[in-house]
Amino acid sequence: MDNQLEAYNRARKDEIARSAPAFVQDVSDSLILQQNWGDLLSAAPLSLSLLGACQIAASSPKAASVILEPPQGGFKYLKYKTLQANLTQLGNFGRSSFLEAERRMDKLMMHAKYMFGSRGVANEIISLLCDEEAAKKGLHVQMLTLKKGADDCAKDAKAIEMKFEQWLEMAYELEETAEDNAGDYAGKEKETDILKEIEAIKLNEAEKIKNEREKIVGNMQKVLDTTEEAFKQASKNIPTGWNGLALHIVKGYNETIMSGMNGCTQALKSVFGVVAETGRESAGTQKPPVHPDANDPAFHRAGELCVILSTLVQILTGGEDGGLDLDTIMNFKQTSDSQPTGLTFCRTSLKLMMDQTGLNPTTWHLAGAPSKTLQNVIRESLRIIGNVSSAVERFRNLKAKEIDQHQIKEWQSRASKAYEQALALKARGAMMPGSGSGGGVPFLDPDMLPKPTKSDSSASAFLSDAVNNLKISQSALKAAGDNYSTSTDKFLESTAKFHDIQNQLDKLNAQKATFVGALSPPPGEIRGVLRASIRALSDLKAQISAILQFFQGVSAMVEFVVENPCKRLLDTLHSGIEGEGHQIAGISYTEFQKQTLLTSTLMVRGYFSVVFDIAKVYTEVSRKHIMPGMNLMDRLGLTDPADPDYATELERKKIALRDYSSKAMADIQELAGRRQFELKARLSQKIEKIADTTKFLPPTPQTQVIKDAIAEEKRVDEENIAKKPSSMAASERLLMPDIDDDSSTLWS
């Protein structure tokens, strides 16, 4: 028992020592692993390189004087009737778009610094949580400040997206008008029809996003409702002195809130990116593959379920010679409500969870395989408790001489299997974005947490679950690091195709370039470059939209925090009615609400760390590469075909464009590799730290189950990475080969 108490103390010390900065870093890292900013950074140089090539190609003596007839109803974006003039307009609008993006990204960095610096809003909120009287006066004001900052960030991201949306539509209009004039379409009405269809899509999508946001905030509220209800019920059913169980179940409730906020925030992403079948040659706005069960609510409750089932396994195996813990079970129906048993806690908690996760319309919607697994595990666990209770009742009433050992072994086996299934769900959830790789949440005041005692019957269950949590975190961190390497390697492999694109552009003979060629359907060098440019612009806009999705999710998360955890805590502080009415081993309902708000605030802080990181890297790349690229592109279209040195000047500009593009992409590749190294080093340190902790703790039999679950999630992630579309490959596919003879069909 002394050795067990020593291990118990070591595990407890590790859990309560969890710091806020470590938690925030883990959340941020798990988001960065899924939010590949490299695609955003590489899309800009690719777009500029292709648009620059368009400028060069359009300076062809045979193409520069082409007149474009506006579509029916006139141009929406374009101002001129020549291809070259409109390409110049397109470039100018691109400059405006990139300048707007840089300015707004600067603002995003300032917002993040203001809200989450050493004297920022987040730290003010945490300070107020430690002073109830001050919280009554200042907490709501600080939370409103946080909400305003998050909303402002979402507005800035929306402004960037709208600017790039207009730029993309301008490029589409140019391509489609030019092709209409070249006879590539049956009629000029197609352009007008497409634009009308796009406007209708935008209106429908905006309404859908608004409705889905309200639904998602409501779902977060349901997560909070179920967790608070579970806390109140557990306060009545946890046996006295079971401090290990008390600490772990409170931690589990906070992990449920954390996971629920993550899942609901990620769900908002699935609403964006509606694409109509307009017939356009772009897949840039297509959504990348997503995990089929990414938002399944079973992952939210897995942590709680593991605590309950580890307790059940301990009750069934904690007795003499590894048998039933009869000291706990024999009092099953004799104890009063004020003196519950461990089996009472397990039974009531599982029944409540079953009610909360049922198919009742007022509860969470459950449809995926993880939810079905969750419900099956709960049902099986309740059957085991029923079997044990009936057998003990017969034994206590002398209706049976003993409890059949074969039955006991069967119950133990079934309970262990149920616990393993719950652990597998928790392990899979640790791989989801924003999960912090299962690292757990920090506590507001560790000194107030229940202390270990020698008579704590839940010590073994606490130890088992604590060790398994560390194993989950260790395995999740390693798998996440491997997946990040795979994702970065694919990004570097994709950007390597940029050299192939450059080689094709170098072969473009601008003096003979046409928009359409002699073949049917006519290819044409300029058309190919323009289409590739639009494909690259479309991917760039898709990356900007992904940032907007991220901010919309953060904004919805903050709205939930302000309207629910914060408001409910203030209601309790002002009324004092429920605050002390429910306690778990000295942890009052008020303290639990404070802990909930702390977890929520740190979650937002973790998300904003990613905001700051993306904005900072983008502005650096913008100033170093994007703006110089725009300046270069302005000069590319100024070549005069009548100039005697036209050919020499054209070649010089092609070399300048190639040098710029190659250097920009090489720098981004180097940046991606450096960031990969930094993140991998950080993950390795965490893995080593966990290994140092677990070597002093007793092993558990569930290690392989955890590794298998993580491996399955890793496989799904690897498949999604492999399926992710490559903008470089698509742009290369759209480029047309050079035409060296004079027999091509030119503009009329």
Side-chain angles (χ1 to χ4, degrees), residues 279-531:
R280 285 179 165 168
E281 187 70 41
S282 172
T285 49
Q286 289 180 355
K287 292 180 286 186
V290 296
H291 193 291
D293 301 315
N295 305 313
D296 195 300
F299 296 128
H300 311 339
R301 307 304 296 271
E304 286 177 65
L305 186 60
C306 285
V307 175
I308 298 167
L309 295 186
S310 64
T311 303
L312 177 60
V313 170
Q314 171 60 23
I315 292 171
L316 299 182
T317 61
E320 187 176 349
D321 297 327
L324 299 180
D325 185 356
L326 291 176
D327 289 340
T328 296
I329 303 175
M330 284 293 287
N331 294 324
F332 179 61
K333 287 192 175 181
Q334 292 182 343
T335 53
S336 65
D337 291 339
S338 61
Q339 293 180 320
T341 68
L343 210 56
T344 307
F345 164 77
C346 293
R347 183 192 59 186
T348 55
S349 297
L350 288 169
K351 282 188 174 181
L352 177 62
M353 191 178 292
M354 175 60 80
D355 291 340
Q356 291 174 336
T357 58
L359 298 179
N360 188 297
T362 61
T363 58
W364 302 349
H365 174 67
L366 303 174
S371 289
K372 293 174 182 176
T373 298
L374 179 76
Q375 289 191 330
N376 288 336
V377 168
I378 295 172
R379 290 191 183 100
E380 171 67 356
S381 302
L382 286 171
R383 281 194 292 267
I384 295 169
I385 293 173
N387 295 155
V388 173
S389 302
S390 298
V392 170
E393 182 72 11
R394 289 194 301 272
F395 176 64
R396 185 173 57 200
N397 293 333
L398 304 178
K399 293 181 179 180
K401 293 182 179 181
E402 61 180 14
I403 302 175
D404 188 276
Q405 292 300 311
H406 293 293
Q407 280 191 326
I408 293 175
K409 294 294 184 184
E410 180 192 348
W411 298 331
Q412 292 173 339
S413 175
R414 288 163 58 194
S416 295
K417 183 177 179 181
Y419 180 43
E420 289 175 354
Q421 289 178 300
L423 279 171
L425 283 176
K426 185 172 183 178
R428 292 178 61 192
M431 292 287 288
M432 300 300 170
S435 67
S437 299
V441 300
F443 291 98
L444 182 64
D445 187 358
D447 292 335
M448 292 187 63
L449 298 174
K451 305 294 191 297
T453 64
K454 289 187 177 182
S455 60
D456 189 347
S457 300
S458 65
S460 294
F462 172 91
L463 271 174
S464 174
D465 210 42
V467 173
N468 284 329
N469 286 342
L470 289 169
K471 291 293 184 181
I472 286 173
S473 185
Q474 187 179 39
S475 298
L477 287 168
K478 186 179 184 306
D482 291 344
N483 283 343
Y484 186 72
S485 294
T486 302
S487 179
T488 303
D489 290 345
K490 181 176 181 184
F491 165 71
L492 295 175
E493 179 185 339
S494 174
T495 53
K497 292 182 178 293
F498 187 70
H499 298 294
D500 297 332
I501 295 174
Q502 286 295 312
N503 289 334
Q504 289 197 53
L505 294 178
D506 281 348
K507 295 176 183 178
L508 182 66
N509 188 338
Q511 298 183 63
K512 298 180 180 180
T514 65
F515 188 81
V516 293
L519 304 178
S520 181
E525 302 89 335
I526 300 175
R527 177 193 184 195
V529 176
L530 181 58
R531 280 192 162 190

Side-chain angles (χ1 to χ4, degrees), residues 2 31 67 74 110 192 237 300 303 332 339 362 427 485 490 496 562 576 602 698 716-717 745:
D2 289 339
L31 287 166
I67 303 298
M110 288 189 291
T192 304
N237 295 314
H300 311 339
F332 179 61
Q339 293 180 320
T362 61
S485 294
K490 181 176 181 184
V562 173
L602 293 179
V716 173
D717 287 343
T745 304

Side-chain angles (χ1 to χ4, degrees), residues 689-709:
K689 184 179 178 181
I690 293 173
D692 288 340
T693 301
T694 53
K695 69 183 179 182
F696 294 107
L697 299 175
T700 66
Q702 293 86 23
T703 300
Q704 191 58 48
V705 171
I706 292 170
K707 289 182 177 180
D708 290 344

